[in-house]
Every structure is written in C-alpha cells, then in structure tokens.
Amino acid sequence: EPEVTQTPSHQVTQMGQEVILRCVPISNHLYFYWYRQILGQKVEFLVSFYNNEISEKSEIFDDQFSVERPDGSNFTLKIRSTKLEDSAMYFCASSDRTGDQPQHFGDGTRLSIL
Amino acid sequence: QKEVEQNSGPLSVPEGAIASLNCTYSDRGSQSFFWYRQYSGKSPELIMFIYSNGDKEDGRFTAQLNKASQYVSLLIRDSQPSDSATYLCAVNKFTQGAQKLVFGQGTRLTINP
C-alpha cells in the first residue's frame, strides 16, 4: 500500500539553527499538509499546500516557517531559526483530492531543540 | 467551546467487550469526520471515515454520525489488547476552498486481557 515517507525520523538541533524536514507524499496525491504534535497535546494543523502554493496556514505558521515542493516528489518544511517551543512531532500528510478525502499521515519527524 | 471535544480517558475495557468512543464538534456545517488511531510515539493511522448520518461498519469498527446532535462515535467490537491506543476524532474544516483536519485531544483506550 502506498505510504507517505518522512525523513529524518529524529532531528536534534541547537536553538537558533535552521532545520529542514522532508516528506515524500503518496505519488498520485495533489494536496499536502504539515501538522505538529507537542508531547501530550493534540495534533495541530500548520499548513496546506496545493498547486505549488500555500492554500491555508495556521497562526503557528509564522515567518520562521516555510514550505516548498522542490521537485516532483519531495515536500519540505523549513524552520529558519528554531526555538525551544518548536520541539514536537511533525507529521506530513497527503490526500488525492480535496472535498472530504481522507488524509494519510507519514510516520513523523521528532524534532528536539536544545 | 473547543472545536472538537473528546473525553481524554483513560477508558478501560475488558478484552472481548465493546469499546465506545465519543466525540462532539462545534461547527454545524462540518461534513466529514474521521477516526484515527495513534499508538504511543507513532503517527495517526486512519481507521474510519463517515460523511452521512447513521452507521458505517468496517470489520470490528462501526462509526456513527448524528449531525443534528453534532456527535460522532466509534464502536470497537470484540476488543483486543492490540486495540489499546489513543483514538483521535478529526473533523474536516473548509476555509476558502482549502481544507484542514481539526483534531480532538484524543481518548486513551486500554483493553485489559
């Protein structure tokens, strides 16, 4: 069964450093998402992406965050200057259409900011 | 009022019994609803989705939707220890043509052998 893949599985970074989280969505999917989950809290929406542009972003997704689809397969989330509070699990998800289609999640990247 | 509310549990159910998980949502215009299972330290795994009022069955799982009451539930029949996990209720929210999932806090379910 096709799946969303994320790398790395665990990223440890010093505060203030830039970090890039990578995702390969399911190949025929067109809609891409990033969510995050701080330890012990609920899953929160960060950003959605379609047709090479952001469709919607949450209040969390400030100027320190950016997303990119650099080629036909990868979808990346960049955090320019990491803060301690950015420590969380980051999940990439994709769906083949909008309009109520289920989103399929990758295994996530655990980001630890020191 | 939270957009999606779940009882955080823990909910403890004996093996072989029916586990019943509940969720309420605030946006009356919501159209699609999802149940994800999340094992500790893992990602959400899609279990069921439901769009229409009534019941939808898939193996041991039944999702129930009552839009008038803004209520979604998940029943797990013949519960197994492997069903022990946190169950996340999610509602699809549309804003200006874009969609996103809004999650509840999750209900931690423990199946006791």
Side-chain angles (χ1 to χ4, degrees), chain A residues 19-76:
Chain A
V19 64
I20 298 176
L21 310 183
R22 292 182 165 80
C23 169
V24 178
I26 294 172
S27 62
N28 64 336
H29 284 188
L30 301 176
Y31 297 84
F32 314 120
Y33 312 85
W34 284 100
Y35 293 82
R36 81 171 185 189
Q37 187 176 31
I38 295 171
L39 186 64
Q41 297 187 22
K42 66 179 181 179
V43 177
E44 302 175 286
F45 168 79
L46 290 178
V47 66
S48 59
F49 191 87
Y50 169 70
N51 199 25
N52 280 321
E53 60 182 27
I54 291 174
S55 305
E56 184 180 357
K57 57 185 181 180
S58 72
E59 292 176 354
I60 303 167
F61 195 89
D62 62 21
D63 291 345
Q64 295 301 312
F65 290 85
S66 62
V67 289
E68 192 178 33
R69 188 154 164 82
D71 52 43
S73 59
N74 289 284
F75 178 51
T76 62

Side-chain angles (χ1 to χ4, degrees), chain A residues 33 35 37 56 100 103 106, chain B residues 32 36 38 43 51 99 101:
Chain A
Y33 312 85
Y35 293 82
Q37 187 176 31
E56 184 180 357
D100 304 344
Q103 295 179 23
Chain B
S32 50
Y36 286 84
Q38 187 176 34
S43 65
Y51 306 146
Q99 68 165 351
L101 290 176

Side-chain angles (χ1 to χ4, degrees), chain B residues 8-69:
Chain B
S8 60
L11 176 65
S12 187
V13 172
E15 183 175 357
I18 296 176
S20 177
L21 303 158
N22 305 315
C23 172
T24 58
Y25 59 95
S26 61
D27 184 355
R28 189 169 285 279
S30 298
Q31 296 293 321
S32 50
F33 309 87
F34 305 86
W35 283 100
Y36 286 84
R37 177 175 64 197
Q38 187 176 34
Y39 293 112
S40 181
K42 303 297 185 182
S43 65
E45 174 192 1
L46 182 68
I47 297 296
M48 293 281 293
F49 56 92
I50 187 167
Y51 306 146
S52 304
N53 276 329
D55 295 1
K56 178 182 178 183
E57 187 174 317
D58 183 1
R60 296 188 295 112
F61 299 94
T62 299
Q64 299 175 315
L65 174 61
N66 183 326
K67 290 185 179 179
S69 300

